Amino acid sequence: MDQRNVTRITQIHLLGFQIPLSIKFFMFFLFLLIYCVTICGNLLIIILVSYSKSLHSPMYFFLSQLSICDILLSTGILPNMMRTVLVKKTIMSFSECLTQFYSLAMTESSECLLLTVMSWDRYLAICKPLHYSLKMNYQVCCILVILCWILGIFLLLTYSLTISNLQFCGPNIIDHFFCDFDPIIQLSCSDTTIARLEATVLGFIVVVFPFFTIFVSYSYIIATILKIPTITGRQKVFSTCSSHLTVVFIFYGTLACVYLAPNRGQTQTLNKLLSLLYTVVTPMVNPIIYSLRNKDLKNAIRKFINNFSRIHFNKY
């Protein structure tokens, strides 16, 4: 056994972003603002879907589950990242680092699968409208959501079994703003060939195959929309899925660049920025994209604000 294995990693130093001292507090408050907007926006979606009867449909039920994923994803990243901005380097135990990675892997994989389910929901609604209510009832929606979370947990268990068989002996510095698979694997002094191969296979299962499914679904959806004779009709139908399509391209595009594209020639700073898009930016913009481009959500927000204001003023 290599002599380095005698010294086992117990702590991890996360370097985060190398931010100049002059803008340290500005970046801290920027990330704090992003976190508040993310939590409030996604909580608003969850409350609206529960509160408004007009949003009691499969599409909005899946959207509320996506909001839960976004809250978990941003909560696992941003508080720790804000601390890193202030102190320049965050120290955490190795077990905390692995826990962060496992929770993010589960959330990201569940979100990928949820986006796939949402595309299938739009396919049935637009291409098979007569069978939609039969095939996409409340029971089916619940089963699909539970399966997404179960498969996410399965991925977590697979990663944990793989990483538990590796030896980690340092160095204990991670040049990233969170504990991701590749930075953790680089700390190992064992042979990581199987672990990397397994990660690639799981990446294809969770990222490539769902994206291909979404691509096929939207190919049929677009073909169906083009058959609609009037431009107004096309715009009305396409508006029901344009928000989802925008979110899919942002989320899957950055995931593919980070996990599936070769890392050669890709600087660590670029890798961090791409990771920032799907871990921080996407959870924030998801509720904004859906709210701005969806009339039902706009109306639900308006009614919610009016009712809240009426109740508040009646008290006085």
Side-chain angles (χ1 to χ4, degrees):
M1 182 180 291
D2 193 318
Q3 188 65 30
R4 293 180 305 166
N5 289 344
V6 175
T7 305
R8 307 292 290 277
I9 292 178
T10 57
Q11 290 185 328
I12 294 293
H13 295 251
L14 278 177
L15 297 183
F17 288 97
Q18 303 304 307
I19 296 172
L21 189 64
S22 58
I23 61 168
K24 179 175 69 173
F25 289 104
F26 170 76
M27 294 305 297
F28 172 80
F29 286 110
L30 177 62
F31 288 138
L32 179 61
L33 177 64
I34 290 172
Y35 184 56
C36 291
V37 170
T38 301
I39 298 299
C40 292
N42 284 289
L43 276 178
L44 180 63
I45 295 290
I46 295 169
I47 292 168
L48 287 175
V49 172
S50 303
Y51 163 82
S52 178
K53 291 182 180 179
S54 63
L55 301 182
H56 289 177
S57 65
M59 180 174 72
Y60 297 110
F61 174 69
F62 294 135
L63 179 58
S64 67
Q65 296 300 310
L66 187 68
S67 292
I68 293 173
C69 281
D70 287 336
I71 289 173
L72 292 175
L73 187 60
S74 60
T75 301
I77 294 287
L78 275 166
N80 197 58
M81 197 163 94
M82 287 186 285
R83 186 175 64 173
T84 306
V85 169
L86 287 179
V87 299
K88 284 198 171 182
K89 185 165 64 174
T90 297
I91 299 174
M92 62 169 64
S93 68
F94 188 61
S95 59
E96 287 176 337
C97 183
L98 289 179
T99 300
Q100 184 188 51
F101 165 65
Y102 294 151
S103 63
L104 292 176
M106 181 191 71
T107 307
E108 287 167 13
S109 57
S110 298
E111 182 152 348
C112 286
L113 297 169
L114 270 171
L115 288 170
T116 308
V117 168
M118 290 172 76
S119 71
W120 186 58
D121 170 73
R122 291 298 83 206
Y123 164 75
L124 288 177
I126 295 171
C127 301
K128 308 284 183 183
L130 298 178
H131 303 282
Y132 180 69
S133 58
L134 181 65
K135 291 186 176 181
M136 195 58 78
N137 54 50
Y138 180 74
Q139 186 178 1
V140 171
C141 292
C142 290
I143 291 171
L144 288 172
V145 167
I146 291 169
L147 282 174
C148 288
W149 286 106
I150 288 175
L151 288 171
I153 294 170
F154 169 76
L155 181 68
L156 182 152
L157 292 173
T158 305
Y159 272 129
S160 61
L161 287 172
T162 302
I163 292 176
S164 64
N165 291 323
L166 298 175
Q167 297 288 334
F168 294 91
C169 51
N172 64 341
I173 297 173
I174 291 181
D175 188 11
H176 214 307
F177 60 90
F178 69 99
C179 294
D180 205 358
F181 177 78
D182 197 57
I184 291 174
I185 287 297
Q186 288 177 10
L187 305 182
S188 175
C189 44
S190 306
D191 182 9
T192 60
T193 304
I194 295 176
R196 291 183 182 277
L197 180 61
E198 188 177 84
T200 303
V201 172
L202 289 173
F204 272 89
I205 293 172
V206 175
V207 179
V208 177
F209 180 72
F211 183 78
F212 178 74
T213 304
I214 293 171
F215 178 79
V216 172
S217 298
Y218 272 98
S219 297
Y220 282 104
I221 289 170
I222 292 170
T224 303
I225 290 173
L226 291 176
K227 292 178 183 177
I228 299 173
T230 62
I231 296 176
T232 306
R234 292 177 195 170
Q235 291 175 341
K236 185 177 179 181
V237 174
F238 187 72
S239 65
T240 64
C241 55
S242 59
S243 301
H244 176 254
L245 197 58
T246 304
V247 170
V248 164
F249 276 113
I250 295 173
F251 187 76
Y252 275 100
T254 51
L255 271 181
C257 290
V258 172
Y259 293 112
L260 299 178
N263 287 328
R264 290 176 194 169
Q266 184 171 295
T267 64
Q268 187 60 23
T269 302
L270 178 59
N271 193 35
K272 288 179 188 178
L273 289 173
L274 289 171
S275 299
L276 195 68
L277 282 175
Y278 76 85
T279 58
V280 175
V281 177
T282 303
M284 179 186 68
V285 300
N286 278 357
I288 297 173
I289 291 172
Y290 278 103
S291 300
L292 291 177
R293 307 190 71 174
N294 190 294
K295 289 183 180 179
D296 291 336
L297 271 175
K298 285 182 185 177
N299 292 333
I301 292 171
R302 198 176 296 113
K303 287 180 182 178
F304 181 79
I305 293 172
N306 290 337
N307 289 341
F308 180 80
S309 302
R310 194 181 302 117
I311 293 170
H312 178 75
F313 285 119
N314 285 340
K315 287 182 179 180
Y316 300 96

